Amino acid sequence: MQASSLRCVRAWLLGPSAPLGMVRTTRLVATTTVTSQEEVRHPDFAREFRGREEGFPCLNKHPKDAAGVTGAYGETLGGHQLFQHRDKFHFKHGGVIPELYLAYETWGQLNQERNNAILLHTGLSGSSHAKSHKDSPSKGWWEKFIGPSCALDTNRFFVVCSNLVGGCYGSIGPSSINPLTGREYAMSFPLVTIEDMVHAQFLLLDRLGVGRLHAAVGASLGGMQSLMAAAIYPERVGRVVSISACVRTHPSSIAMRYVQRRILMADPNWNNGRYYGKTFPRMGMQHAREVGTITYRSGPEWAMRFGHKRAHPDSPPDFCPDFEIERYLEYQGEKFSTSYDPNSLLYISKVSHRHVCCEVVAPKQG
């Protein structure tokens, strides 16, 4: 840089008569530049900072290390019957279990022709208790649709509903004891498909003496089963009622179920599926269910039901549930978190991913 340029820079920085070592400082006031020899004043954050209180009550409801927490799913509603197939059962993707058993319930009477039976397939988390009866008077999950003069008219039809293979409400699944090891199957239980579920259900129908079904009925995962029943046993299914189901799972559903499983498996208490008798992975279950609940309703339905309503309009925003829709998700997650076996959730949520109704195989039992 030339000497004249250096003199210009020095003159701007120091002024023509400033002592050596003095540096001019500036501060902005509105749009005016003020020359001053004062030091720039910095805010005193120790005195002036005003933040939020560091509290998260929604995270402290259930201590993470609460030992002794177990799932309530083991305490089944009762009143179901147990079908036992004392022979090995083969699964589509490999794996064999030494015996099969299903919890089931029935309503109505099978006629002499044995052709008035309706097989009711459950969704992901449904038990066999679809309707109350004398042995189990509590309301079932399809209480209003089963009974005299109802959609499934028990004056005319013999209604059968079973808990799924891989479930946890009385049927064999990951929480069941493996008779060969004396321990829970946990994640050593074979992968389950919808075909496997249907094959097991028709073994039950054989035991009950049912020939040709009047209908196979189901919603969601149950609707996939009703379609599969007709595909595998066309000569034994008279009608199909498939509600909110599909022939093949949409990629977005696969993605959402994947996220659910990863959330659950990230809970340290899941312990690679070996949490039985130990700390229950409650938080993983809760948050996985919250994600799942989002997929059960459409965007317009969420908007109509909740809109932008806040839970506590007069309170400042918070990182815990602040909007009504957030509180609803939290409630659904907490309600489900100990009512279902986490490993069963992993297995059954995986079932629909490879579901293609036309790709079926013949049963290989016995």
Side-chain angles (χ1 to χ4, degrees), residues 298-309 325:
S298 66
E301 187 177 359
W302 286 120
M304 284 191 299
R305 182 167 181 178
F306 296 102
H308 293 84
K309 290 183 291 186
I325 189 172

Side-chain angles (χ1 to χ4, degrees), residues 92 107 129 164 205 237 278 321 329 340:
K92 178 181 177 180
W107 302 265
H129 191 64
L164 301 171
L205 294 178
V237 179
K278 301 177 182 178
L329 292 176
Y340 201 71

Side-chain angles (χ1 to χ4, degrees), residues 319-337:
F319 287 101
C320 286
D322 182 33
F323 288 88
E324 287 286 353
I325 189 172
E326 295 173 328
R327 292 191 65 189
Y328 175 79
L329 292 176
E330 181 186 51
Y331 167 77
Q332 292 295 333
E334 287 184 345
K335 179 181 176 182
F336 184 77
S337 63

